[in-house]
Amino acid sequence: MYPLLFRHVLSRFDPEFAHHAAMAVIRVLGVPPFSWVTRALTAPSPEQQVHALGLTFPSPFGVAAGFDKNVVGVRGLNALGFGHIEVGTVTAIPQDGNPKPRLFRLVPDRAVVNRMGFNNNGAEAAEARLTKLRRRTPRAVIGVNIGKSRVVAVEDAIADYVASATRLAPLADYLAVNVSSPNTPGLRGLQAVETLAPLLRAVKEAAGATPLLVKIAPDLPDEEIAAIARLAVDEGLAGIISHNTTISRDGLRTDPAVVEAAGAGGLSGAPLKERSLEVLAVVKAAVPADFCVIAVGGVETADDVQKRLDAGATLVQGYTAFLYRGPFWARQINRGLRR
Protein backbone atom coordinates (compact mmCIF):
# COMPACT_ATOMS: atom_id res chain seq x y z
CA MET A 1 0.00 0.00 0.00
CA TYR A 2 2.64 2.55 1.02
CA PRO A 3 4.74 2.34 -2.20
CA LEU A 4 1.56 3.03 -4.17
CA LEU A 5 0.67 5.95 -1.90
CA PHE A 6 4.18 7.37 -2.23
CA ARG A 7 4.34 6.98 -5.99
CA HIS A 8 0.97 8.55 -6.77
CA VAL A 9 0.40 11.00 -3.91
CA LEU A 10 3.28 11.78 -1.55
CA SER A 11 5.93 12.17 -4.24
CA ARG A 12 3.91 15.06 -5.68
CA PHE A 13 4.31 17.13 -2.51
CA ASP A 14 7.29 19.30 -1.66
CA PRO A 15 9.66 17.02 0.35
CA GLU A 16 9.94 19.33 3.35
CA PHE A 17 6.17 19.83 3.51
CA ALA A 18 5.70 16.04 3.28
CA HIS A 19 8.17 15.54 6.13
CA HIS A 20 6.31 17.95 8.39
CA ALA A 21 2.99 16.28 7.52
CA ALA A 22 4.46 12.87 8.34
CA MET A 23 5.82 14.21 11.63
CA ALA A 24 2.33 15.41 12.57
CA VAL A 25 1.04 11.85 12.12
CA ILE A 26 4.01 10.44 14.06
CA ARG A 27 3.27 12.78 16.95
CA VAL A 28 -0.32 11.51 17.09
CA LEU A 29 0.94 7.91 17.14
CA GLY A 30 2.93 8.75 20.26
CA VAL A 31 -0.16 9.65 22.28
CA PRO A 32 -2.32 7.02 24.06
CA PRO A 33 -4.36 5.12 23.04
CA PHE A 34 -2.75 5.32 19.57
CA SER A 35 0.68 4.61 21.03
CA TRP A 36 -0.57 1.43 22.74
CA VAL A 37 -1.91 0.02 19.49
CA THR A 38 1.12 1.10 17.47
CA ARG A 39 3.57 -0.31 19.98
CA ALA A 40 1.71 -3.63 20.05
CA LEU A 41 2.22 -3.91 16.28
CA THR A 42 5.84 -2.79 16.15
CA ALA A 43 7.63 -3.65 19.39
CA PRO A 44 10.98 -5.44 18.92
CA SER A 45 11.30 -8.88 20.43
CA PRO A 46 13.27 -9.17 23.71
CA GLU A 47 16.11 -11.09 22.06
CA GLN A 48 16.91 -8.04 19.92
CA GLN A 49 18.09 -6.00 22.89
CA VAL A 50 21.58 -4.51 22.67
CA HIS A 51 23.59 -3.43 25.70
CA ALA A 52 25.90 -0.52 24.90
CA LEU A 53 26.96 2.84 26.35
CA GLY A 54 25.68 1.63 29.71
CA LEU A 55 22.17 1.47 28.23
CA THR A 56 19.75 -1.18 27.03
CA PHE A 57 18.52 -0.59 23.48
CA PRO A 58 15.31 -2.51 22.64
CA SER A 59 16.59 -3.02 19.07
CA PRO A 60 19.91 -2.32 17.32
CA PHE A 61 18.07 -0.13 14.79
CA GLY A 62 17.37 3.52 15.52
CA VAL A 63 16.58 6.87 13.91
CA ALA A 64 19.50 9.01 12.79
CA ALA A 65 19.81 12.70 13.63
CA GLY A 66 18.05 15.06 11.25
CA PHE A 67 14.66 13.38 11.31
CA ASP A 68 13.47 14.92 14.59
CA LYS A 69 15.41 18.16 14.86
CA ASN A 70 13.20 19.74 17.52
CA VAL A 71 12.47 16.80 19.85
CA VAL A 72 8.79 16.66 18.92
CA GLY A 73 8.40 13.12 17.54
CA VAL A 74 10.27 10.99 20.06
CA ARG A 75 7.24 9.28 21.56
CA GLY A 76 5.77 8.44 18.17
CA LEU A 77 9.07 7.14 16.79
CA ASN A 78 9.51 5.03 19.91
CA ALA A 79 6.01 3.62 19.43
CA LEU A 80 6.87 2.78 15.80
CA GLY A 81 9.56 0.36 16.98
CA PHE A 82 12.84 2.24 16.71
CA GLY A 83 15.39 1.12 19.30
CA HIS A 84 16.60 4.65 19.90
CA ILE A 85 16.03 8.15 18.57
CA GLU A 86 18.87 10.60 17.98
CA VAL A 87 17.35 14.08 18.02
CA GLY A 88 18.83 17.21 16.51
CA THR A 89 21.08 18.51 15.22
CA VAL A 90 20.54 21.08 18.00
CA THR A 91 22.50 24.34 18.10
CA ALA A 92 23.00 26.62 21.09
CA ILE A 93 21.32 29.49 19.23
CA PRO A 94 17.98 28.97 17.39
CA GLN A 95 18.30 29.26 13.61
CA ASP A 96 16.14 29.01 10.52
CA GLY A 97 18.65 27.10 8.41
CA ASN A 98 19.30 27.63 4.73
CA PRO A 99 16.80 29.20 2.29
CA LYS A 100 14.10 26.96 0.81
CA PRO A 101 13.89 24.80 -1.21
CA ARG A 102 16.56 22.77 0.60
CA LEU A 103 15.36 19.15 0.47
CA PHE A 104 15.19 17.14 -2.77
CA ARG A 105 14.23 13.57 -3.65
CA LEU A 106 16.29 11.48 -6.10
CA VAL A 107 13.64 8.80 -6.50
CA PRO A 108 15.43 6.47 -8.97
CA ASP A 109 18.29 6.26 -6.43
CA ARG A 110 16.02 6.07 -3.37
CA ALA A 111 18.06 8.98 -2.09
CA VAL A 112 17.71 12.53 -0.81
CA VAL A 113 19.82 15.68 -1.12
CA ASN A 114 19.49 18.12 1.74
CA ARG A 115 21.05 21.43 2.63
CA MET A 116 18.84 22.15 5.62
CA GLY A 117 21.58 23.95 7.56
CA PHE A 118 20.73 22.85 11.12
CA ASN A 119 17.29 24.49 11.20
CA ASN A 120 16.13 24.08 14.80
CA ASN A 121 14.60 25.89 17.76
CA GLY A 122 17.81 25.93 19.78
CA ALA A 123 19.18 24.23 22.88
CA GLU A 124 16.88 25.98 25.35
CA ALA A 125 13.76 24.72 23.57
CA ALA A 126 15.23 21.22 23.25
CA GLU A 127 16.05 21.25 26.95
CA ALA A 128 12.43 22.01 27.83
CA ARG A 129 11.08 19.22 25.62
CA LEU A 130 13.63 16.68 26.86
CA THR A 131 12.73 17.54 30.46
CA LYS A 132 9.08 16.69 29.74
CA LEU A 133 10.03 13.48 27.95
CA ARG A 134 12.04 12.27 30.92
CA ARG A 135 8.86 12.26 32.98
CA ARG A 136 7.07 9.98 30.48
CA THR A 137 6.75 6.22 30.35
CA PRO A 138 7.66 4.13 28.49
CA ARG A 139 11.04 5.83 28.34
CA ALA A 140 12.69 5.97 24.92
CA VAL A 141 16.47 5.85 24.50
CA ILE A 142 17.34 9.36 23.32
CA GLY A 143 20.62 10.55 21.87
CA VAL A 144 21.15 14.28 21.36
CA ASN A 145 23.18 15.49 18.38
CA ILE A 146 24.72 18.96 18.78
CA GLY A 147 26.28 21.23 16.17
CA LYS A 148 27.77 24.69 15.70
CA SER A 149 25.46 27.69 15.51
CA ARG A 150 25.78 29.32 12.10
CA VAL A 151 26.34 32.84 13.49
CA VAL A 152 29.24 31.66 15.63
CA ALA A 153 32.71 31.89 14.08
CA VAL A 154 34.63 28.64 13.69
CA GLU A 155 37.31 29.91 16.09
CA ASP A 156 34.59 30.28 18.76
CA ALA A 157 33.04 26.87 18.12
CA ILE A 158 34.23 25.24 21.35
CA ALA A 159 32.28 27.62 23.60
CA ASP A 160 29.22 27.20 21.36
CA TYR A 161 29.30 23.39 21.59
CA VAL A 162 29.96 23.54 25.33
CA ALA A 163 26.89 25.75 25.81
CA SER A 164 24.70 23.13 24.15
CA ALA A 165 26.35 20.23 25.98
CA THR A 166 25.91 21.92 29.36
CA ARG A 167 22.17 22.27 28.78
CA LEU A 168 21.45 18.97 27.08
CA ALA A 169 23.87 16.32 28.33
CA PRO A 170 22.07 15.84 31.69
CA LEU A 171 18.89 14.97 29.77
CA ALA A 172 20.47 12.79 27.06
CA ASP A 173 21.22 9.07 27.13
CA TYR A 174 24.20 9.94 24.94
CA LEU A 175 25.53 13.07 23.30
CA ALA A 176 26.84 13.22 19.71
CA VAL A 177 29.15 15.97 18.42
CA ASN A 178 28.36 16.76 14.79
CA VAL A 179 31.39 18.19 12.98
CA SER A 180 30.57 16.58 9.65
CA SER A 181 27.50 18.19 8.09
CA PRO A 182 28.31 19.74 4.69
CA ASN A 183 25.64 22.41 5.12
CA THR A 184 27.24 24.73 7.71
CA PRO A 185 30.17 26.76 6.37
CA GLY A 186 33.49 25.77 7.92
CA LEU A 187 32.04 22.96 10.02
CA ARG A 188 33.85 20.06 8.37
CA GLY A 189 37.15 21.84 8.98
CA LEU A 190 36.67 21.00 12.65
CA GLN A 191 37.38 17.34 11.80
CA ALA A 192 41.11 18.02 11.54
CA VAL A 193 42.64 16.17 14.49
CA GLU A 194 44.48 19.22 15.83
CA THR A 195 41.19 21.17 15.87
CA LEU A 196 38.93 18.32 16.92
CA ALA A 197 40.95 17.23 19.97
CA PRO A 198 40.41 20.38 22.09
CA LEU A 199 36.77 20.53 21.01
CA LEU A 200 36.06 16.96 22.11
CA ARG A 201 38.00 17.48 25.33
CA ALA A 202 35.93 20.52 26.27
CA VAL A 203 32.59 18.96 25.34
CA LYS A 204 33.46 15.77 27.22
CA GLU A 205 34.13 17.79 30.35
CA ALA A 206 30.80 19.61 29.94
CA ALA A 207 28.95 16.33 29.29
CA GLY A 208 30.09 14.82 32.57
CA ALA A 209 28.94 11.22 32.93
CA THR A 210 26.86 11.27 29.72
CA PRO A 211 28.45 9.08 27.01
CA LEU A 212 29.97 11.22 24.26
CA LEU A 213 30.31 10.24 20.60
CA VAL A 214 31.57 12.06 17.50
CA LYS A 215 29.95 11.89 14.06
CA ILE A 216 32.28 11.89 11.06
CA ALA A 217 31.97 12.47 7.29
CA PRO A 218 32.33 9.69 4.70
CA ASP A 219 34.24 11.97 2.31
CA LEU A 220 37.45 12.07 4.34
CA PRO A 221 40.41 9.96 3.20
CA ASP A 222 40.54 6.63 5.02
CA GLU A 223 43.71 7.60 6.90
CA GLU A 224 41.98 10.70 8.32
CA ILE A 225 38.95 8.62 9.34
CA ALA A 226 41.27 6.20 11.15
CA ALA A 227 43.05 9.13 12.86
CA ILE A 228 39.74 10.54 14.15
CA ALA A 229 38.69 7.09 15.37
CA ARG A 230 41.96 6.73 17.28
CA LEU A 231 41.51 10.25 18.67
CA ALA A 232 38.04 9.34 19.94
CA VAL A 233 39.56 6.41 21.83
CA ASP A 234 42.47 8.46 23.17
CA GLU A 235 40.17 11.23 24.41
CA GLY A 236 37.98 8.75 26.28
CA LEU A 237 34.89 9.09 24.13
CA ALA A 238 32.23 6.39 24.37
CA GLY A 239 31.92 5.83 20.63
CA ILE A 240 31.86 7.10 17.07
CA ILE A 241 29.02 7.55 14.57
CA SER A 242 29.94 6.43 11.09
CA HIS A 243 28.82 8.52 9.20
CA ASN A 244 27.10 11.69 7.95
CA THR A 245 25.84 12.54 4.44
CA THR A 246 28.20 12.75 1.46
CA ILE A 247 28.94 15.56 -0.98
CA SER A 248 29.72 12.97 -3.68
CA ARG A 249 27.33 12.45 -6.59
CA ASP A 250 29.13 9.44 -8.08
CA GLY A 251 27.19 6.51 -9.52
CA LEU A 252 23.70 8.03 -9.39
CA ARG A 253 20.96 6.77 -11.72
CA THR A 254 18.83 9.90 -11.48
CA ASP A 255 18.84 12.16 -14.53
CA PRO A 256 21.96 14.38 -14.21
CA ALA A 257 19.82 17.46 -14.90
CA VAL A 258 17.68 16.63 -11.86
CA VAL A 259 20.77 16.10 -9.72
CA GLU A 260 22.24 19.40 -10.91
CA ALA A 261 18.97 21.21 -10.22
CA ALA A 262 19.01 19.91 -6.64
CA GLY A 263 22.34 21.63 -6.17
CA ALA A 264 24.67 21.53 -3.21
CA GLY A 265 24.02 19.59 -0.04
CA GLY A 266 24.48 16.22 1.59
CA LEU A 267 23.39 13.08 -0.23
CA SER A 268 21.85 10.28 1.82
CA GLY A 269 20.11 7.01 1.05
CA ALA A 270 20.82 3.86 -0.93
CA PRO A 271 23.84 5.19 -2.91
CA LEU A 272 25.87 5.21 0.32
CA LYS A 273 25.61 1.46 0.93
CA GLU A 274 29.09 0.58 -0.30
CA ARG A 275 30.94 3.55 1.18
CA SER A 276 29.15 3.05 4.49
CA LEU A 277 30.60 -0.45 4.83
CA GLU A 278 34.05 0.78 3.76
CA VAL A 279 34.07 3.54 6.40
CA LEU A 280 32.80 1.12 9.03
CA ALA A 281 35.69 -1.24 8.27
CA VAL A 282 38.23 1.59 8.59
CA VAL A 283 36.77 2.71 11.91
CA LYS A 284 36.58 -0.82 13.35
CA ALA A 285 40.22 -1.46 12.43
CA ALA A 286 41.27 1.63 14.40
CA VAL A 287 39.34 1.11 17.66
CA PRO A 288 39.15 -1.60 20.34
CA ALA A 289 36.68 -4.40 19.68
CA ASP A 290 34.33 -3.24 22.43
CA PHE A 291 34.28 0.42 21.35
CA CYS A 292 30.76 1.55 20.39
CA VAL A 293 30.37 2.22 16.66
CA ILE A 294 27.02 3.36 15.28
CA ALA A 295 26.73 2.72 11.54
CA VAL A 296 24.68 5.07 9.37
CA GLY A 297 24.31 5.38 5.60
CA GLY A 298 22.60 3.37 2.88
CA VAL A 299 20.44 1.42 5.31
CA GLU A 300 17.09 0.31 3.91
CA THR A 301 16.44 -3.38 4.67
CA ALA A 302 17.01 -5.83 7.49
CA ASP A 303 19.79 -7.30 5.36
CA ASP A 304 21.51 -3.90 5.26
CA VAL A 305 21.30 -3.67 9.04
CA GLN A 306 22.57 -7.22 9.51
CA LYS A 307 25.55 -6.60 7.21
CA ARG A 308 26.61 -3.68 9.38
CA LEU A 309 26.16 -5.67 12.57
CA ASP A 310 28.18 -8.51 11.05
CA ALA A 311 30.89 -5.97 10.13
CA GLY A 312 31.17 -4.96 13.78
CA ALA A 313 28.68 -2.14 14.25
CA THR A 314 27.20 -1.96 17.73
CA LEU A 315 24.06 -0.15 16.58
CA VAL A 316 22.66 0.97 13.22
CA GLN A 317 20.70 4.08 12.27
CA GLY A 318 18.60 5.08 9.29
CA TYR A 319 16.66 8.06 8.05
CA THR A 320 16.19 8.42 4.28
CA ALA A 321 14.49 5.06 3.67
CA PHE A 322 11.69 6.15 6.03
CA LEU A 323 10.57 8.31 3.10
CA TYR A 324 10.50 5.36 0.69
CA ARG A 325 9.44 2.57 3.07
CA GLY A 326 6.80 4.30 5.15
CA PRO A 327 5.84 4.44 8.84
CA PHE A 328 6.26 0.72 9.53
CA TRP A 329 9.86 0.69 8.33
CA ALA A 330 11.30 -0.08 11.77
CA ARG A 331 8.82 -2.92 12.17
CA GLN A 332 10.00 -4.38 8.85
CA ILE A 333 13.62 -4.15 10.00
CA ASN A 334 12.96 -5.68 13.40
CA ARG A 335 10.92 -8.55 11.97
CA GLY A 336 13.56 -9.18 9.31
CA LEU A 337 16.36 -9.28 11.88
CA ARG A 338 14.41 -11.74 14.00
CA ARG A 339 14.01 -14.07 11.03
Side-chain angles (χ1 to χ4, degrees), residues 38-50:
T38 305
R39 192 66 180 169
L41 294 171
T42 64
S45 58
E47 63 266 23
Q48 290 179 317
Q49 288 184 353
V50 175

Side-chain angles (χ1 to χ4, degrees), residues 17 21 31 58 71 73 93 108 114 127 153 223 241 294 319 324 329:
F17 172 82
V31 179
V71 201
I93 301 169
N114 94 82
E127 180 185 28
E223 58 269 23
I241 302 176
I294 302 179
Y319 173 175
Y324 295 104
W329 179 39

Side-chain angles (χ1 to χ4, degrees), residues 107-257:
V107 178
D109 291 290
R110 300 179 74 80
V112 163
V113 171
N114 94 82
R115 52 174 174 272
M116 303 300 288
F118 291 168
N119 54 306
N120 76 105
N121 295 333
E124 185 176 357
E127 180 185 28
R129 291 179 181 134
L130 286 165
T131 299
K132 291 180 180 178
L133 281 170
R134 286 316 185 199
R135 303 189 190 116
R136 303 283 187 176
T137 55
R139 189 176 183 275
V141 178
I142 307 172
V144 179
N145 185 296
I146 60 173
K148 185 186 78 67
S149 303
R150 192 182 189 93
V151 297
V152 172
V154 172
E155 54 268 28
D156 298 322
I158 291 179
D160 188 61
Y161 277 94
V162 166
S164 293
T166 302
R167 277 189 179 277
L168 302 175
L171 299 164
D173 288 309
Y174 71 83
L175 198 68
V177 174
N178 187 347
V179 289
S180 51
S181 169
N183 301 318
T184 295
L187 185 73
R188 285 192 167 193
L190 294 173
Q191 293 178 112
V193 168
E194 62 273 13
T195 308
L196 186 58
L199 170 62
L200 294 179
R201 209 169 292 142
V203 176
K204 185 173 185 295
E205 182 177 356
T210 303
L212 182 66
L213 296 85
V214 62
K215 187 169 187 175
I216 62 171
D219 305 308
L220 294 170
D222 287 355
E223 58 269 23
E224 291 186 30
I225 291 172
I228 294 173
R230 289 191 293 268
L231 175 67
V233 175
D234 293 343
E235 293 296 332
L237 269 64
I240 190 165
I241 302 176
S242 169
H243 48 73
N244 215 315
T245 58
T246 181
I247 57 174
S248 171
R249 300 294 188 266
D250 294 341
L252 297 178
R253 294 179 293 176
T254 300
D255 184 335

Side-chain angles (χ1 to χ4, degrees), residues 13 24 31 34 55 69 95 97 101 104 113 123 150 152 200 210 214 239 241 284 291 296-297 317 331:
F13 288 103
V31 179
F34 304 106
L55 307 163
K69 297 176 184 294
Q95 55 189 43
F104 307 88
V113 171
R150 192 182 189 93
V152 172
L200 294 179
T210 303
V214 62
I241 302 176
K284 285 298 297 180
F291 195 69
V296 197
Q317 292 178 344
R331 181 182 185 275

